[in-house]
Amino acid sequence: MSDDDRIRWDERYRNRAASGGSDAVLPKVFVPFETEFPTSGSALDLACGAGEFSVWLARRGLDVWGVDISPTAIDQARALASRAGVEERCRFEIVDLDDGLPAGPPVDVIVCHRFRDARLDRVVIERLAPGGLLAISALSVVGGAPGRFRVPPGELTTAFAQLDVIASGEGGGEAWLLARKSV
């Protein structure tokens, strides 16, 4: 990622903190499927931002590794985990996903909310442990304006076709998928 992109994301998170902060939450598209998320094991949160999804998973009982390009977001994620009392279950690191997925063992859950890089699809699938859960959402052209970071119709279901889809949807400018790797 370019230095300009990193600066832009840092600025976005600085402005966000000034406007009210964050809390541990499950993204709205996944709320109806809350029981699909395990209550133990390990998780990887790609482009974790300020850590809301990571901390929600940690409160559920998972050990979570959150990665993001923005040092400001990572600082906010660490602070959120501390306020929530789950800092021992959360590890946050600055990682440029343009360089690929960081090495590590298989995980029980991979979440990726509002970030999409098709170059990571194969390694995301490989990183999931058998029975592992993928929860991914991205901006979409379906019900939204066209744009560089918006996925076309059907992209997520096609990209992750080898997983067992639990639920998926597109509309209102968002595409999402919840799927499990076969055992």
Side-chain angles (χ1 to χ4, degrees):
M1 184 171 277
S2 74
D3 286 336
D4 288 342
D5 287 336
R6 186 182 334 267
I7 291 166
R8 179 175 53 87
W9 281 110
D10 262 352
E11 188 63 29
R12 178 178 276 182
Y13 282 103
R14 267 192 291 280
N15 290 339
R16 184 173 176 225
S19 69
S22 60
D23 194 13
V25 295
L26 177 63
K28 279 194 271 187
V29 298
F30 300 118
V31 167
F33 310 100
E34 180 176 348
T35 59
E36 295 292 339
F37 290 85
T39 55
S40 64
S42 59
L44 177 60
D45 187 352
L46 304 177
C48 68
E52 297 96 336
F53 205 163
S54 293
V55 171
W56 183 85
L57 291 166
R59 281 182 170 168
R60 253 182 109 69
L62 284 92
D63 293 317
V64 184
W65 181 19
V67 299
D68 198 279
I69 189 65
S70 167
T72 300
I74 292 299
D75 288 345
Q76 290 173 1
R78 289 176 179 148
L80 178 60
S82 179
R83 285 192 311 273
V86 293
E87 65 271 18
E88 73 285 348
R89 289 193 166 281
C90 294
R91 178 177 100 185
F92 295 103
E93 291 183 35
I94 301 164
V95 172
D96 187 345
L97 292 170
D98 280 353
D99 297 332
L101 203 61
V107 295
D108 302 297
V109 178
I110 295 179
V111 298
C112 187
H113 181 58
R114 298 278 171 92
F115 172 77
R116 178 79 179 119
D117 187 338
R119 297 173 300 173
L120 300 176
D121 294 350
R122 181 185 53 77
V123 291
V124 162
I125 293 168
E126 290 171 357
R127 179 62 75 72
L128 276 174
L133 182 71
L134 172 66
I136 185 168
S137 68
L139 297 175
S140 172
V141 298
V142 178
R148 178 175 153 211
F149 299 108
R150 293 191 180 263
V151 299
E155 180 175 312
L156 295 181
T157 53
T158 300
F160 298 103
Q162 72 187 83
L163 300 178
D164 300 324
V165 175
I166 296 166
S168 65
E170 294 178 310
E174 184 172 22
W176 59 275
L177 174 86
L178 190 66
R180 214 172 274 295
K181 188 172 185 178
S182 296
V183 178

